[in-house]
Amino acid sequence: IWFSLLPVRLDVASLTFPHTLTFPPTIDASRCPALSTANMAPAKCKVPKASAITKEMVETIRADSLKKKEEDARKAAAEQISALVASATVAEEPMLIDLLEIAINLAGDNKSKNVRDAGDAAVDAFPTKLSEFSVRACMKPIFVGFQSQFWQSKMAALRMVDNFVSRNRKAVAACLPELIPELAQVMVDMRPEVVAKSTETMAKVATCVGNIDIDPFIPTLIECIRKVDEVPECVHKLAATTFVQQVEAPTLSIMGPLLQRGLFHQQMTAIKRKSAVIIDNMCKLVEDPMDAAPFLTKLLPLLKRAMDEVADPECRQVCTRAYKTLLQAAGEEAGAIIDENSISDKRIDEGTVRLQITEMMSEVAGASQGDIAAFLKEPTVEPYFEYICQLATNALLAKNFDFDTWKKSCVTPYLALFFDGAEPATKALVEKAHAAYLASKKVFVVSDEEGEDLCKCDFSLAYGALILLSNASLHMKKGKRYGLCGPNGCGKSTLMKAINNGQVEGFPPPEELRTVYVEHDIQGDQHEMTIVEFVLSDAVIKEHGTTAEDVEATLRSFQFTERMIFGPVTALSGGWKMKLALARAILMKADIFLLDEPTNHLDVKNKAWLEEYLISQTTISSMIVSHDAGFLDRVCTHIIHYETRKLVTYKGNLTEFIRQCPAAKKYTELSNDELKFIFPAPGFLEGVKNKDKAIVKATNCHFTYPGTDRKIISGGTIQLSLSSRVACLGPNGAGKSTFIKLLTGEAEPQQGTVWRHPNMRYAYVAQHAFHHVEQHLEKTPNEYIRWRYQTGEDKENLTKVTNIYTEEEERLMKEKIPIPQEDGSVLKLVVEKILSRRQKKSKYEYECQWKGLSLDMTSWVEREKLEKFGFLKYMNRVDEREAARAGLYARPLTQANVEKHMIDFGLEAEFGTHNRIKGLSGGQKVKLVLGSAMWQQPHIVVMDEPTNYLDRDALGALACAVKDFGGGVLLITHNCEFADALKEETWEVPGDGLLYISGNKWGQGKSGKKEVVEWDGPQEDALDALGNVVKIKGPKKKLSRKEVKARQKSRANKLAEGQDLSTDSDWELDEYIGDMAEKGKA
């Protein structure tokens, strides 16, 4: 607690004010001989002059206001209040509080409009006569108005709140823990006028929160107070909020109703869990126990209830953690028992302020504290003193330590009524409080390093449900290059985005310090314009008056050719798009580059150029996130390291950093000690007996992008098998990714053929890691995978070029196909749909449904015949569906199975099942992309730049997983260390359209000899949607002729006895009989 003087908010019980204000009667010295002489009071203390408003006057007005049958008396009472308020001075201000309560009640008079009008006028007269710090003192009459049965009284009380907001937002913010719960109750009133006005007032009150992170979500937070149905969506939005400011009581207050309803939500365990996670992490950002204390009685009972009643054990565990964190944040013992009626001893109120003011008066007057305390309890003094304590409490809770403000409207004017040393006492009180507050804050240690400071700030950072930094310090100098190091998910990219968005508390605004966040945000398929047009379309560059000539000159300095400069963005490779992003940042005239993985997609030559460029910039600073240890070592002058939610800055490059912090050596090694990826076994592949047999072939392929004349691929021929470990190397723009797209069906060659085993399944991790998930940010990773494969096939593959029919193919597919019948005749039929596939000897046949015929009149047609009529792509899709089913039969698509699968890829349940994709870090999204692609147990894994966004631990885990994988792997990467550790075969694509292959062992297997494929079926059982254990069956067993006849006889007996055919073997028997008949004909 930063100062024992600082009180915490009152609870509802304390609003009754145990020290009830009493009002001094007109002083008669003859009746009060003890006060008739000044020397009866302590030094500098004096009896206050008689107030123009007495207790008797207030009680008389109250009695008149309650005369229900006398309209004139009630109206006269309201008018008398207006007159008293208008003539009131500082001496009468403490007596106005009870008059305010009477006025609010009169404003709701249900018998006379004249009385209501007079009451409204009386209420509106108060704000200008009350101190700006009297919000706390006025809460009792305001809450009386909120709880009135008459809606006009509620409206009058709401107007009072509006007036306080317009006068001093911070004073209102200090009272939000008490104010917002009461105001929330008014928002669900039955009267439409009250609902509309209270919603408007809540919006005004919310502006007092003073947290820019919450501001965009305030409308949603307010909406969920009125509409319970909005709570789940609001919890999700709040969970994805980036917090960079210290969380104080006002922030917790505005979130309180949402979190309470989230925990109370009856039907959705996931919402209760997420609400508990938010409480847990937000409390970690609370530095002052007094900020959390008011919420103990509101949230702890709900957390305890969830801990006891929720069926999900994982949710109960999260609620237990949040319970302990909230207790700790409020300064309570771990085993403390808190209920709705508990009052924490950490919650200091006016009582502590009373003691401190008494002490200050004693020091100034030179009198004993006992004499001062006795004097302050005198009936003529106590109302003023209690009012002073309420004002001072309000000011201290608002963290207002401005002496001039205290002297003008907080303590001095009222203390001076009965104490001659009011100003010195006030000054001593403020100075003591301010000194204690500053002492509790973390002192920023100024570095003695030479150079111009760019920023120097303390702040906190969280990403929704994940606490990232707590009261961390950031200090940057001009012309320096800072490497930002930490494990995946620690918040490196989030910090840079928060800096660029102006969300870091204390960081200079864009007008003083221009920051530019450089990331891989240029997607070629999104920009059909030329490069120059694309750069000039940026709003910041337009503001600088940059011309096309300036852009062209800058691009040439970045080694862009004339063809590139005037060509479309779509023609750029990933590496050149990164250089374009850097050039765009230069034209924005940045003071600080925020570089997020700048070396991704860059080849060796361009990486060397980037290093030289950054080192040459003496006036521009850089903050760099990169998993390329060599790049950081050569470029950085400082390393900023994430350590237990703090930022620690080390002078020197990565090598020097490791010398000072040996535990950080993992940033330079491919290590998997702390993380492990497990790739699923490829599964059975029909007809493949050894691992070196080709299951993918591309023969004499040629490809040119539309609108260009450069031949990207000219006569390329390759093959892949289950034993392949291939690294595809070449400079940026040479055509590596294009070749991969041909193999996977993302592109189609203009010449040549690409063949894939009909049952082969592949996983494709695209160059831009978020390609597959960027359209599903509102889903959780678990939901995304279940959506992607819910139809039995990969929905992400449906948009492939090889699944889109040409006009010629559509024409052929509508033609009639001659189909021979059993009687020897031939029918010409048009295919309506291809239903399934079967193998006949070494060939495949497809079951076709015909237009104009009944559904049961289907025929099996050879693959070769359907190919002639343009059905090749259709059949390939059927093949993919059958292959997908072969992989999915081993694992039902349930939440539990998907969760276990994602854990195998380093994505824990907290992120894989309970957080939306938009809340994941870059590295976590890549794990999702990798895991989702591997769900179908692929035989070939194609990874285009898999090292992007993965830290060293993840790279090590990926390398080990690839080594242990039972299928083929094709890598495109500029990370030589990663490629050298895995490759056995190299495909070089220099950019001349040709493909140079070395190290291939086609026909030899991994070890130089044929490696037999062994497959004994899935090694573990799976769970169905209800959590039942499912015994996995392997591929259908081939039966001998004798076994087929025995089953045929058994089925005939069942039919003769009238039994149902209930087993799979009964229904599959026809297929075995058909196979046996075909063999007989052969």
Side-chain angles (χ1 to χ4, degrees):
I1 300 175
W2 60 265
F3 182 40
S4 62
L5 173 144
L6 252 184
V8 189
R9 290 81 181 160
L10 288 171
D11 58 11
V12 176
S14 68
L15 292 177
T16 60
F17 300 111
H19 294 274
T20 306
L21 299 182
T22 56
F23 301 93
T26 303
I27 302 298
D28 186 340
S30 64
R31 295 185 180 182
C32 299
L35 297 178
S36 59
T37 58
N39 57 11
M40 295 296 292
K44 295 193 177 184
C45 297
K46 60 184 179 182
V47 177
K49 294 182 180 179
S51 170
I53 303 176
T54 66
K55 180 178 180 181
E56 288 77 8
M57 294 172 61
V58 173
E59 293 304 321
T60 299
I61 294 173
R62 189 189 304 277
D64 289 343
S65 70
L66 298 175
K67 295 178 179 178
K68 297 299 181 183
K69 296 183 178 180
E70 299 181 25
E71 176 183 338
D72 291 341
R74 301 197 304 277
K75 181 180 178 183
E79 292 173 345
Q80 187 178 1
I81 292 174
S82 296
L84 289 173
V85 173
S87 61
T89 64
V90 170
E92 286 75 43
E93 191 172 327
M95 294 70 179
L96 297 181
I97 304 302
D98 276 359
L99 288 179
L100 175 60
E101 180 180 333
I102 299 171
I104 289 175
N105 285 329
L106 287 170
D109 191 279
N110 67 329
K111 295 183 178 294
S112 170
K113 183 177 185 302
N114 293 332
V115 176
R116 289 197 298 272
D117 292 343
D120 283 334
V123 171
D124 294 340
F126 278 89
T128 57
K129 293 296 182 176
L130 293 172
S131 167
E132 60 184 299
F133 292 104
S134 63
V135 184
R136 191 174 180 82
C138 291
M139 280 197 298
K140 182 175 180 291
I142 288 174
F143 291 172
V144 168
F146 285 172
Q147 296 162 9
S148 172
Q149 60 180 318
F150 304 118
W151 68 273
Q152 293 95 337
S153 289
K154 297 178 181 179
M155 299 290 279
L158 291 170
R159 290 202 308 277
M160 279 299 299
V161 176
D162 290 347
N163 283 317
F164 278 123
V165 172
S166 64
R167 296 181 65 196
N168 191 329
R169 295 178 188 275
K170 290 187 177 180
V172 176
C175 301
L176 290 188
E178 296 82 34
L179 182 58
I180 284 183
E182 296 293 329
L183 187 54
Q185 294 298 318
V186 184
M187 289 177 63
V188 293
D189 194 84
M190 299 295 291
R191 191 83 185 188
E193 294 92 332
V194 175
V195 172
K197 178 60 181 174
S198 59
T199 303
E200 177 188 340
T201 299
M202 180 65 89
K204 292 179 180 178
V205 166
T207 63
C208 303
V209 171
N211 190 310
I212 61 174
D213 307 319
I214 285 292
D215 287 346
F217 299 93
I218 282 177
T220 306
L221 289 167
I222 295 175
E223 187 69 15
C224 85
I225 294 176
R226 294 196 303 111
K227 298 180 180 179
V228 180
D229 294 342
E230 300 290 332
V231 169
E233 184 60 28
C234 190
V235 168
H236 285 303
K237 288 183 179 180
L238 188 61
T241 303
T242 304
F243 290 88
V244 295
Q245 292 184 306
Q246 177 184 338
V247 174
E248 297 179 332
T251 304
L252 292 172
S253 299
I254 196 68
M255 295 194 298
L258 170 73
L259 296 175
Q260 286 177 264
R261 291 191 174 185
L263 288 172
F264 197 72
H265 209 271
Q266 294 292 333
Q267 298 178 349
M268 297 182 66
T269 300
I271 298 302
K272 290 184 179 180
R273 183 191 180 283
K274 186 155 287 189
S275 299
V277 170
I278 293 172
I279 292 171
D280 179 46
N281 288 283
M282 290 302 97
C283 286
K284 291 175 184 176
L285 283 176
V286 176
E287 294 186 4
D288 193 335
M290 292 184 298
D291 287 322
F295 304 95
L296 290 179
T297 58
K298 299 179 178 70
L299 297 177
L300 281 182
L302 292 174
L303 286 169
K304 184 69 169 63
R305 178 178 175 182
M307 290 160 53
D308 296 337
E309 297 180 2
V310 173
D312 184 0
E314 202 268 344
C315 179
R316 293 199 303 270
Q317 184 179 358
V318 172
C319 291
T320 302
R321 186 172 68 241
Y323 186 93
K324 293 178 180 178
T325 304
L326 181 55
L327 276 177
Q328 184 179 3
E332 298 286 352
E333 295 294 331
I337 300 175
I338 307 291
D339 57 28
E340 291 86 345
N341 300 317
S342 299
I343 299 177
S344 171
D345 58 359
K346 307 295 180 184
R347 300 182 63 192
I348 308 166
D349 57 13
E350 282 80 357
T352 303
V353 177
R354 191 179 298 114
L355 293 174
Q356 294 294 331
I357 295 179
T358 302
E359 181 182 335
M360 294 300 105
M361 290 176 64
S362 175
E363 292 179 2
V364 173
S368 70
Q369 291 190 32
D371 290 344
I372 296 292
F375 171 74
L376 294 175
K377 290 181 180 178
E378 293 292 340
T380 56
V381 178
E382 189 173 21
Y384 297 108
F385 182 58
E386 292 301 323
Y387 187 63
I388 290 170
C389 290
Q390 291 172 340
L391 298 182
T393 298
N394 206 150
L396 289 171
L397 288 173
K399 296 181 174 60
N400 186 307
F401 305 105
D402 180 50
F403 174 63
D404 290 337
T405 303
W406 281 63
K407 186 171 66 173
K408 177 183 177 183
S409 57
C410 188
V411 171
T412 305
Y414 312 95
L415 190 59
L417 294 173
F418 58 87
F419 187 65
D420 289 336
E423 187 169 325
T426 302
K427 187 173 184 180
L429 180 67
V430 173
E431 288 177 350
K432 183 176 181 180
H434 195 199
Y437 175 72
L438 292 177
S440 70
K441 302 290 285 182
K442 181 178 181 297
V443 180
F444 192 96
V445 180
V446 180
S447 172
D448 58 0
E449 183 181 356
E450 295 183 359
E452 179 184 344
D453 284 339
L454 290 182
C455 73
K456 188 164 58 176
C457 53
D458 289 347
F459 62 96
S460 296
L461 174 66
Y463 194 77
L466 180 66
I467 179 73
L468 300 176
L469 294 171
S470 179
N471 198 25
S473 300
L474 179 64
H475 188 185
M476 296 182 70
K477 296 277 188 178
K478 187 174 183 179
K480 305 298 181 181
R481 298 172 296 281
Y482 298 85
L484 200 56
C485 291
N488 256 5
C490 70
K492 301 184 292 293
S493 296
T494 301
L495 172 60
M496 293 204 296
K497 289 177 181 177
I499 291 174
N500 194 53
N501 294 335
Q503 294 176 295
V504 171
E505 188 176 11
F507 198 90
E511 297 77 23
E512 300 177 17
L513 191 67
R514 170 72 67 182
T515 62
V516 177
Y517 182 52
V518 182
E519 61 173 338
H520 298 272
D521 61 340
I522 302 175
Q523 299 294 332
D525 55 356
Q526 297 174 358
H527 302 288
E528 297 297 332
M529 60 185 76
T530 66
I531 292 177
V532 175
E533 292 171 344
F534 169 70
V535 173
L536 287 174
S537 66
D538 187 273
V540 176
I541 294 176
K542 284 181 180 178
E543 290 178 6
H544 295 316
T546 306
T547 64
E549 290 74 19
D550 296 331
V551 174
E552 292 172 18
T554 302
L555 291 174
R556 289 189 184 96
S557 70
F558 275 65
Q559 302 176 350
F560 280 77
T561 65
E562 294 297 316
R563 173 186 282 187
M564 290 179 179
I565 292 174
F566 298 105
V569 177
T570 53
L572 294 180
S573 67
W576 284 104
K577 286 175 186 173
M578 187 68 229
K579 294 186 74 172
L580 176 59
L582 285 168
R584 186 175 57 175
I586 289 292
L587 291 167
M588 291 181 185
K589 299 182 179 179
D591 297 304
I592 298 179
F593 286 152
L594 304 174
L595 304 173
D596 195 354
E597 300 291 352
T599 61
N600 283 354
H601 313 301
L602 295 183
D603 53 26
V604 176
K605 180 180 178 182
N606 282 319
K607 192 184 298 183
W609 172 89
L610 177 61
E611 292 171 5
E612 293 177 6
Y613 178 80
L614 292 177
I615 293 172
S616 67
Q617 301 301 305
T618 57
T619 59
I620 301 177
S621 297
S622 301
M623 180 182 284
I624 306 167
V625 172
S626 177
H627 294 121
D628 189 329
F631 175 77
L632 289 178
D633 199 43
R634 291 185 290 271
V635 169
C636 292
T637 60
H638 297 74
I639 297 294
I640 301 175
H641 190 222
Y642 277 70
E643 296 180 9
T644 60
R645 296 196 289 274
K646 303 290 183 184
L647 294 178
V648 181
T649 303
Y650 296 83
K651 188 176 180 181
N653 61 5
L654 191 61
T655 300
E656 179 62 20
F657 164 55
I658 293 172
R659 189 187 65 78
Q660 299 176 60
C661 183
K665 190 176 180 181
K666 62 183 180 181
Y667 294 120
T668 64
E669 298 175 343
L670 280 178
S671 168
N672 71 326
D673 294 338
E674 300 177 3
L675 180 64
K676 186 176 183 180
F677 291 167
I678 302 175
F679 284 8
F684 180 73
L685 194 58
E686 191 172 6
V688 178
K689 302 297 183 183
N690 54 74
K691 287 192 172 183
D692 65 325
K693 182 176 181 179
I695 57 176
V696 180
K697 287 183 180 180
T699 306
N700 195 28
C701 291
H702 298 257
F703 183 83
T704 302
Y705 278 108
T708 64
D709 55 3
R710 180 191 162 202
K711 207 152 195 178
I712 303 296
I713 298 173
S714 179
T717 298
I718 59 92
Q719 75 175 43
L720 289 172
S721 67
L722 291 175
S723 65
S724 294
R725 293 294 184 272
V726 181
C728 188
L729 308 176
N732 292 129
K736 304 183 300 296
S737 297
T738 304
F739 210 103
I740 301 304
K741 289 179 180 179
L742 294 182
L743 295 178
T744 60
E746 299 285 332
E748 192 172 17
Q750 282 97 11
Q751 251 183 282
T753 59
V754 177
W755 173 86
R756 290 181 289 274
H757 189 289
N759 292 342
M760 187 271 291
R761 299 183 297 275
Y762 73 88
Y764 178 38
V765 182
Q767 181 178 109
H768 298 284
F770 310 147
H771 170 71
H772 293 308
V773 299
E774 59 190 3
Q775 302 300 322
H776 305 278
L777 299 180
E778 297 300 322
K779 293 184 176 73
T780 66
N782 199 304
E783 290 169 345
Y784 166 70
I785 291 178
R786 284 183 283 141
W787 166 86
R788 181 168 169 175
Y789 296 103
Q790 65 184 357
T791 61
E793 56 187 331
D794 188 352
K795 289 185 179 180
E796 300 290 7
N797 286 341
L798 300 184
T799 57
K800 293 191 304 184
V801 173
T802 49
N803 282 336
I804 301 173
Y805 304 120
T806 64
E807 293 183 3
E808 177 64 18
E809 287 170 335
E810 289 181 345
R811 184 187 64 78
L812 288 172
M813 290 165 65
K814 294 177 182 178
E815 291 187 0
K816 293 183 178 181
I817 302 175
I819 303 297
Q821 303 299 303
E822 293 182 358
D823 58 1
S825 61
V826 176
L827 290 179
K828 292 187 176 182
L829 304 172
V830 177
V831 175
E832 182 174 353
K833 188 187 298 183
I834 298 179
L835 301 175
S836 60
R837 184 195 71 186
R838 74 179 183 186
Q839 188 172 8
K840 183 178 179 182
K841 295 185 180 179
S842 60
K843 297 183 179 181
Y844 287 103
E845 291 183 345
Y846 295 82
E847 185 180 12
C848 297
Q849 182 179 314
W850 308 105
K851 287 185 179 180
L853 297 183
S854 62
L855 298 179
D856 60 340
M857 296 184 66
T858 60
S859 307
W860 291 95
V861 183
E862 299 84 356
R863 181 183 180 93
E864 292 75 11
K865 179 180 286 189
L866 290 173
E867 278 187 21
K868 294 178 181 178
F869 286 87
F871 284 94
L872 178 60
K873 292 179 181 177
Y874 198 145
M875 290 187 292
N876 286 342
R877 184 172 172 183
V878 173
D879 291 340
E880 289 177 359
R881 187 169 67 240
E882 293 293 327
R885 286 175 180 169
L888 290 175
Y889 81 90
R891 286 187 298 182
L893 194 62
T894 63
Q895 177 175 318
N897 287 335
V898 174
E899 184 173 297
K900 181 179 181 302
H901 175 74
M902 293 311 301
I903 290 174
D904 287 342
F905 286 87
L907 204 60
E908 296 297 327
E910 179 68 39
F911 303 102
T913 302
H914 303 293
N915 274 281
R916 294 186 178 183
I917 293 173
K918 66 181 179 182
L920 301 183
S921 71
Q924 289 167 334
K925 286 180 181 176
V926 173
K927 292 174 184 177
L928 168 59
V929 171
L930 192 60
S932 59
M934 298 292 288
W935 171 256
Q936 286 188 323
Q937 299 169 287
H939 300 95
I940 296 290
V941 178
V942 181
M943 292 186 281
D944 195 350
E945 297 290 357
T947 59
N948 290 353
Y949 304 102
L950 287 178
D951 59 16
R952 306 293 296 184
D953 285 341
L955 284 180
L958 181 60
C960 290
V962 168
K963 288 177 182 177
D964 296 337
F965 181 49
V969 179
L970 172 58
L971 302 171
I972 292 181
T973 179
H974 290 121
N975 189 312
C976 297
E977 181 184 5
F978 185 74
D980 292 342
L982 299 175
K983 70 178 182 180
E984 295 181 1
E985 181 178 339
T986 303
W987 299 349
E988 293 186 23
V989 185
D992 57 2
L994 300 178
L995 180 66
Y996 300 90
I997 300 174
S998 61
N1000 75 80
K1001 297 180 181 179
W1002 297 348
Q1004 300 178 43
K1006 276 194 212 175
S1007 57
K1009 60 182 180 180
K1010 291 187 178 180
E1011 186 177 347
V1012 177
V1013 176
E1014 296 180 359
W1015 194 84
D1016 299 324
Q1019 300 300 311
E1020 59 184 50
D1021 296 330
L1023 299 176
D1024 65 12
L1026 299 177
N1028 301 310
V1029 177
V1030 178
K1031 295 293 183 182
I1032 302 303
K1033 298 179 180 180
K1036 187 173 62 176
K1037 180 183 176 183
K1038 292 185 178 180
L1039 301 179
S1040 66
R1041 184 182 295 269
K1042 184 178 180 180
E1043 289 172 324
V1044 171
K1045 287 186 176 181
R1047 289 194 182 186
Q1048 192 174 5
K1049 184 177 180 181
S1050 173
R1051 187 176 70 171
N1053 291 336
K1054 283 185 180 181
L1055 292 173
E1057 294 172 3
Q1059 297 181 22
D1060 292 332
L1061 301 182
S1062 56
T1063 65
D1064 291 341
S1065 60
D1066 291 328
W1067 292 103
E1068 294 170 354
L1069 184 58
D1070 286 334
E1071 190 172 340
Y1072 287 116
I1073 294 172
D1075 292 342
M1076 189 171 66
E1078 291 293 338
K1079 289 181 180 178
K1081 291 180 183 179

